[in-house]
């Protein structure tokens, strides 16, 4: 007996957990991630911006499909199945290693965690239901606190906390107001996400935005800079020592301190006025200081 049914691309189960849907989606998106990897060669691959657009168009569009239907009842374990797919994609896009903190991947790419992105899309969808001529307007008439709540719904989970503070109860929602509120919902979710991210270990505080000048650097260099910002890179003996204990973790130049991202800017053998923050603020100068390629030369390699 089959207790599942697929309707318009969403797999429904008897308890509306959408576990089977998340498993199928994660499997299909993992296959799409393989195509993303094919575009992301170490030296010759597409730049981060192109890979990110490809991910959003080909992979995340599948991850978020039917968000308004599945999100109200999704468990954290099912969301985690989708999050792992995104983690893999973001590592491919940035070139960061497996031990890189997930928050760093989201900060590097300005991509929301899956849980927050699904919630944002769901709230935006529910907001549209408040338009007077929207087909889903009748959903807003449902009780927010029904006498017996079997499963969460859009109304019970999002109306009072997220929607009501945005609306004027004395005026109907207009198209112009709706468009503005879509941006407000996005802004609120991004702001809240930034407040929950862990600080990069190499800074100890919220990182600045990556300077646009980094887009002028070759992928191999941008990859190394992203890794250094995470604190894990083949450029560092401290990282290589974790892979191969026979490699000394000491700085190859001064032989006094562990070779970390922070030490690169504090080594007595290579004095500089640059700081770890310049990995974000001045990527070109930092690349020159670290003797990384700075021209878009397809024959250049960091391997």
């Amino acid at each position: 007996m089959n207790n599942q049914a697929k309707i318009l691309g969403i797999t429904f189960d008897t308890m509306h957990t959408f576990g089977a849907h998340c498993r199928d989606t994660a499997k299909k998106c993992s296959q799409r991630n393989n195509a993303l990897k094919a575009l992301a060669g170490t030296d010759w691959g597409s730049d981060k911006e192109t890979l990110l657009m490809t991910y959003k168009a080909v992979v995340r569009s599948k991850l978020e499909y039917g968000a308004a239907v599945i999100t109200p009842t999704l468990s954290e374990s099912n969301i985690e199945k989708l999050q792992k797919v995104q983690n893999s994609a973001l590592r491919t896009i940035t070139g960061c290693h497996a031990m890189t903190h997930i928050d760093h991947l989201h900060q590097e790419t300005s991509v929301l965690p899956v849980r927050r992105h699904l919630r944002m899309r769901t709230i935006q969808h529910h907001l549209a239901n408040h338009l007077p001529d929207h087909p889903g307007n009748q959903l807003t008439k449902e009780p927010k606190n029904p006498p017996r709540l079997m499963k969460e719904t859009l109304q019970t989970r999002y109306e009072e906390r997220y929607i009501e503070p945005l609306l004027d109860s004395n005026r109907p929602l207009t198209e112009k107001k709706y468009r503005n509120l879509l941006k407000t919902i996005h802004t609120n979710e991004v702001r809240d996400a930034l407040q929950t991210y862990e600080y990069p270990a190499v800074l100890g505080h919220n990182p600045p935005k990556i300077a646009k000048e980094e887009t002028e650097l070759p992928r191999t260099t941008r990859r190394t800079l992203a890794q250094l910002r995470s604190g894990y890179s083949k450029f560092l003996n401290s990282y290589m020592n974790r892979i191969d204990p026979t490699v000394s973790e000491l700085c190859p130049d001064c032989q006094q301190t562990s070779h970390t991202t922070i030490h690169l800017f504090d080594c007595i053998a290579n004095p500089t006025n640059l700081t770890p923050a310049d990995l974000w603020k001045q990527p070109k100068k930092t690349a020159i200081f670290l003797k990384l390629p700075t021209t878009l030369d397809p024959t250049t390699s960091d391997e």
Side-chain angles (χ1 to χ4, degrees), residues 252-268:
D253 295 321
C254 71
Q255 293 291 323
Q256 295 183 11
T257 311
S258 180
H259 195 224
T260 64
T261 298
I262 295 175
H263 178 72
L264 290 176
F265 302 90
D266 196 33
C267 180
I268 59 175

Side-chain angles (χ1 to χ4, degrees), residues 33 79-89 91 114:
N33 273 350
I79 292 176
E80 186 61 24
K81 293 181 178 70
L82 306 181
Q83 181 65 56
K84 287 180 180 179
V85 175
Q86 177 163 288
N87 294 345
S88 176
R91 289 191 186 98
V114 170

Side-chain angles (χ1 to χ4, degrees), residues 2 32 87 114 130 137 171 185 199 240 253 255 260 275:
N2 187 1
R32 298 185 182 191
N87 294 345
V114 170
H130 285 266
N137 186 262
R171 296 182 181 179
I185 293 170
Y199 297 153
M240 296 304 298
D253 295 321
Q255 293 291 323
T260 64
T275 67

Side-chain angles (χ1 to χ4, degrees), residues 5-19:
K6 179 171 285 190
I7 304 174
L8 297 178
I10 299 178
T11 302
F12 289 81
D13 54 85
T14 55
M15 299 301 292
H16 284 193
T17 64
F18 297 103

